[in-house]
Amino acid sequence: MQSIYDYQLDELKEKVKPAFRAKQIYNWIYKKYVTSYEEMKNIPKDLKEQLNENFSLDILKIIKKEQSSDGSIKYLFELQDGHTIETVLLLMRNKKISEDGNIERSEQYTVCISTQVGCKVGCTFCLTAKGGFVRNLTAGEIVAQIVQLKRDNEIAENKSLNIVYMGMGEPLDNYDNLIQAIKIFSNEEGLCIATKRQTISTSGISTKIKKLGDEDLGIQLAISLHAVDDQLRTELIPMNKAYNIASIIEAVKNFPVDVRKKVMFEYLVIKDKNDDLKSAEKLVKMLSGIKAKVNLIYFNPYPGTSYQRPTRENMVRFQQYLISKGLMCTIRESKGLDISAACGQLKEKEANGNS
Ligand code: SAH
Ligand code: SF4
């Protein structure tokens, strides 16, 4: 059965008559986060019945939830066919001193969502890869993750949030459903999450980066680069054989980037693999001419991996080098480390039964 979350507003207008009802339904699901058609007070009974028969509404079940000391919350959802995916709600607390000396605090939500059950790319450092690929998420399953989180955390309908497509799966490998979800998210009658607040993280399918760029959606791009030479990158991301570094850089150079924005390059740092200054030097050269910022990520070890977490000294040394060359560079403090930070790790814990 199709889900009500699968449709853009205009498509829903084609499905339910009279068309103005579509907007009311959108309002109930995206602003009030209802879990049943019964709750839609201004919708006539016969239409509610029709909706019930044709479109599923409650498509994600929360089966596990872990709260970290830093405020982030990781969810394990069960899909209707029994498979599971992860979604993480991150809370960024900002402190700013205003001109009159007052401390201004603000909170910003970012949601990290999944696009597939498993992943085909097979990165050797990633737990999601270990389970292989199961299936693409539908657009509705991508969208419902945000609705569930907003509902469960009672986040006001007009509170803006950011989306990062950095959970399980390779977003560009589920291209059509991804684009559909992006459009549903950004609709002003719905969740109203502007495309500039949405960041797609990709392991680098260059042909799809080009296609995405051509759509000119105003979306933000993050590239999981992780290595500066093809040999190491292929070891880490086997798909690099088909889409090598040069092809990715070329695709990024042609990607439309907002004047005030940059393309993010994610660099997973693994001890003794890519944490040396030579790599940093190469990275600077590689990114010259690109409006880039770099995000260094600590490798997060898990049982059975031979890769190791880098030292803090090497992380900082790498960062300082990039900054000294004028590149913007942040270190991703493993948010939610105590709740198994990286993608795939909550799911793995559940499978092993050791929560
Ligand atoms: N498939 C896409 C999007 C999500 S991957 C991509 O690869 O870009 C999820 C994120 O988790 C990526 O940023 C990846 O670098 C990170 N990740 C995966 N395994 C990790 C690990 N063991 N430690 C730290 N980060 C990890
Ligand atoms: Fe897939 Fe991303 Fe994990 Fe690589 S890092 S296996 S692309 S989810």
Side-chain angles (χ1 to χ4, degrees):
M1 198 197 289
Q2 292 282 321
S3 156
I4 197 81
Y5 301 113
D6 283 326
Y7 300 102
Q8 294 181 49
L9 184 56
D10 286 345
E11 294 166 342
L12 203 59
K13 283 181 180 162
E14 300 289 314
K15 300 269 173 196
V16 296
K17 294 288 171 221
F20 76 92
R21 296 282 180 208
K23 207 166 135 179
Q24 292 178 325
I25 296 168
Y26 242 54
N27 194 67
W28 284 110
I29 58 179
Y30 293 125
K31 306 220 185 271
K32 309 241 185 314
Y33 326 132
V34 297
T35 51
S36 76
Y37 292 112
E38 236 359 86
E39 296 164 66
M40 300 184 173
K41 290 197 189 74
N42 55 359
I43 302 291
K45 193 161 177 278
D46 56 339
L47 179 54
K48 280 190 208 165
E49 277 166 15
Q50 262 181 49
L51 292 170
N52 230 341
E53 278 162 29
N54 295 302
F55 309 106
S56 50
L57 177 58
D58 209 8
I59 59 172
L60 295 183
K61 204 164 89 196
I62 299 174
I63 55 170
K64 196 175 170 117
K65 190 166 137 182
E66 279 187 13
Q67 179 137 23
S68 160
S69 52
D70 66 13
S72 41
I73 309 176
K74 192 159 189 166
Y75 286 81
L76 189 65
F77 287 122
E78 186 178 65
L79 308 169
Q80 286 188 304
D81 62 4
H83 290 300
T84 54
I85 52 161
E86 294 178 7
T87 309
V88 187
L89 177 70
L90 302 156
L91 182 62
M92 315 281 178
R93 288 203 172 87
N94 297 319
K95 223 169 39 179
K96 220 172 59 185
I97 311 284
S98 68
E99 280 173 12
D100 48 11
N102 291 326
I103 297 175
E104 289 176 0
R105 290 175 205 275
S106 64
E107 285 183 348
Q108 178 73 58
Y109 289 108
T110 296
V111 186
C112 175
I113 61 180
S114 293
T115 52
Q116 298 180 313
V117 181
C119 184
K120 284 181 200 159
V121 180
C123 301
T124 49
F125 54 80
C126 173
L127 261 182
T128 298
K130 299 273 176 284
F133 173 72
V134 181
R135 71 169 173 87
N136 281 330
L137 294 188
T138 62
E141 287 167 336
I142 298 174
V143 171
Q145 294 172 59
I146 299 281
V147 179
Q148 275 278 32
L149 257 62
K150 288 192 87 169
R151 180 195 301 128
D152 197 52
N153 294 282
E154 297 175 4
I155 299 175
E157 54 137 307
N158 57 357
K159 169 91 186 155
S160 66
L161 48 81
N162 301 315
I163 297 178
V164 289
Y165 297 86
M166 277 185 200
M168 303 172 71
E170 167 50 51
L172 297 186
D173 191 32
N174 184 11
Y175 192 86
D176 293 344
N177 293 343
L178 172 77
I179 300 296
Q180 175 75 352
I182 291 168
K183 289 180 176 166
I184 296 169
F185 282 137
S186 59
N187 191 297
E188 289 181 3
E189 301 291 342
L191 290 162
C192 194
I193 304 169
T195 49
K196 64 169 194 267
R197 290 186 168 275
Q198 301 184 44
T199 304
I200 295 176
S201 172
T202 176
S203 52
I205 310 179
S206 358
T207 47
K208 298 279 176 64
I209 295 172
K210 179 171 185 318
K211 194 171 168 193
L212 182 68
D214 290 344
E215 308 223 20
D216 208 4
L217 294 169
I219 202 107
Q220 308 301 312
L221 185 64
I223 302 288
S224 288
L225 190 65
H226 308 334
V228 287
D229 64 83
D230 280 313
Q231 194 185 347
L232 176 62
R233 195 164 191 275
T234 303
E235 179 195 318
L236 300 176
I237 311 175
M239 193 188 66
N240 188 67
K241 270 202 218 81
Y243 305 104
N244 66 11
I245 297 178
S247 77
I248 296 170
I249 296 293
E250 170 74 19
V252 170
K253 282 188 170 157
N254 292 313
F255 193 85
V257 184
D258 189 286
V259 275
R260 281 161 307 180
K261 304 278 183 183
K262 291 180 161 44
V263 173
M264 157 113 76
F265 284 82
E266 293 167 279
Y267 191 89
L268 180 78
V269 187
I270 304 174
K271 188 174 177 221
D272 298 335
K273 281 276 178 192
N274 60 1
D275 59 350
D276 55 302
L277 277 184
K278 269 218 154 49
S279 299
E281 219 175 283
K282 260 185 126 169
L283 185 58
V284 171
K285 286 210 182 87
M286 190 176 281
L287 299 184
S288 80
I290 298 178
K291 287 205 318 178
K293 60 180 173 192
V294 175
N295 191 12
L296 302 177
I297 308 165
Y298 278 97
F299 171 69
N300 195 29
Y302 48 87
T305 180
S306 58
Y307 298 136
Q308 290 175 309
R309 188 182 157 88
T311 61
R312 199 182 128 71
E313 291 71 44
N314 280 2
M315 283 296 261
V316 172
R317 188 181 63 164
F318 201 107
Q319 180 193 31
Q320 290 309 320
Y321 181 82
L322 298 193
I323 291 174
S324 76
K325 298 294 173 189
L327 253 180
M328 207 166 144
C329 176
T330 50
I331 294 179
R332 194 191 290 173
E333 290 301 343
S334 279
K335 272 222 153 239
L337 193 64
D338 54 335
I339 55 161
S340 32
C343 77
Q345 300 199 354
L346 184 64
K347 184 168 169 151
E348 188 73 3
K349 264 170 82 172
E350 180 73 356
N352 292 335
N354 54 346
S355 53

